[in-house]
Amino acid sequence: MIEARRLHILRAVADHRTVTAAAAALYLTPSAVSQQLAALEQETGHRLVERSARGVRLTPAGDILLGHANAVLAQLERAESELAAYGSGEAGTVTVASFATGIGLVVAPALTALAGCAPGIRVRVQDAEGDASLRMVLDRQVDIAVAVEYRGAPRADDPRLTRVPLYAEPFDAVLPPGHRLAEADRVAVADLAGDPWIGPYPGNPCHDVVVLACEYAGFEPRLEHSSDDFRAVVALASAAAGVALVPRSALRDMDLTGVVVRPLDDVAPTRRVFAAVRRGAEDHPLFRPVLTALREAAAAQG
């Protein structure tokens, strides 16, 4: 008989590519993870992982089992949801991981709404970038992620996750006040090819959006300054350190007196934001009201 927790460990190893990283995500020791993998191989009668200097990868037998593991773990999430519904599920704690702008735009308003319609649900919020939050959901460190589309993100049909679209927003150009395009009504990304750039670090989903927008415009941005804090990005632009593309909602309620903000003339890069839970958990009686509140908060933003 295959143990479900060992399937969860197999999926973590497949996701993280190393035993050490999977162990850290699962709050286990690497030796414990290795022991569980060995036990799983003994249960199945197949070699499931191959180790190399680069880490761990699944064998063909491991890939077969992983497909079944995703289905089994999703069904277990559904079982937990139904049992929680049977027991009313009107009170409990839900942990949400979101990037900072998402917290301000949809998570905080959702908390206000939940206080009125579902006072028994306590929401704990963790600040995490959009790429990190999805991994936290899969590793069961949090229940819900508010995340951003990025290169390498799990696809919409990923068998491990259920996604709820929240909102999409364009990026605007942020220029120093004395910039040659400061008087233009709109700015083309291609016209900024020769400028120094300010942007998020690689790994941040917004970094991918900016780099792709520049690639589509025919150039690679010369990133001279890096920060994941958009207030710092705007401050650097106000000091004439460079130009930037910033999601429109990140500029709300920010002091913009030292910069010029312009919409883009061509097809604007877009930040697409969604909520995600583990597949099968979307109908959990604690999670469902939170997902609904997040969706309604996003809709209220227009």
Side-chain angles (χ1 to χ4, degrees), residues 98-128:
S98 172
F99 58 100
T101 308
I103 291 174
L105 198 64
V106 295
V107 177
L111 264 61
T112 300
L114 288 166
C117 67
I121 297 179
R122 175 174 175 254
V123 179
R124 295 177 59 238
V125 180
Q126 297 185 25
D127 188 338

Side-chain angles (χ1 to χ4, degrees), residues 105-299:
L105 198 64
V106 295
V107 177
L111 264 61
T112 300
L114 288 166
C117 67
I121 297 179
R122 175 174 175 254
V123 179
R124 295 177 59 238
V125 180
Q126 297 185 25
D127 188 338
E129 288 300 332
D131 54 337
S133 62
L134 293 175
R135 187 70 60 206
M136 294 166 74
V137 166
L138 291 171
D139 291 336
R140 302 183 70 90
Q141 296 173 2
V142 300
D143 301 310
I144 297 174
V146 175
V148 179
E149 289 281 7
Y150 62 96
R151 280 194 288 192
R155 292 163 50 92
D157 60 355
D158 191 294
R160 302 169 298 171
L161 296 167
T162 294
R163 293 169 34 157
V164 177
L166 295 179
Y167 64 91
E169 61 174 330
F171 282 61
D172 289 326
V174 178
L175 313 173
H179 193 273
R180 65 187 181 282
L181 299 175
E183 300 301 321
D185 292 332
R186 306 178 73 84
V187 173
V189 174
D191 291 338
L192 302 174
D195 289 275
W197 281 71
I198 311 157
Y201 285 101
N204 185 312
C206 288
H207 173 89
D208 287 345
V209 174
V210 171
V211 171
L212 278 173
C214 294
E215 288 178 358
Y216 289 146
F219 70 96
E220 181 179 348
R222 179 162 49 93
L223 283 164
E224 298 218 348
H225 309 281
S226 298
S227 176
D228 289 334
D229 185 337
F230 287 119
R231 293 186 182 276
V233 170
V234 169
L236 287 168
S238 71
V243 300
L245 299 183
V246 176
R248 187 165 293 172
S249 68
L251 297 172
R252 294 185 185 181
D253 304 320
M254 195 184 295
D255 182 5
L256 301 174
T257 54
V259 295
V260 174
V261 178
R262 292 290 182 265
L264 295 174
D265 191 33
D266 34 18
V267 177
T270 302
R271 175 160 73 169
R272 301 186 185 280
V273 180
F274 59 92
V277 295
R278 292 179 295 277
R279 181 66 64 91
E282 57 272 13
D283 288 326
H284 192 290
L286 290 178
F287 302 167
R288 188 172 57 248
V290 178
L291 291 171
T292 298
L294 289 169
R295 188 168 53 244
E296 291 176 350

Side-chain angles (χ1 to χ4, degrees), residues 31-48:
S31 62
V33 169
S34 295
Q35 289 169 11
Q36 293 299 317
L37 287 175
L40 185 59
E41 289 181 328
Q42 187 173 10
E43 287 173 344
T44 61
H46 292 279
R47 187 181 181 188
L48 302 175

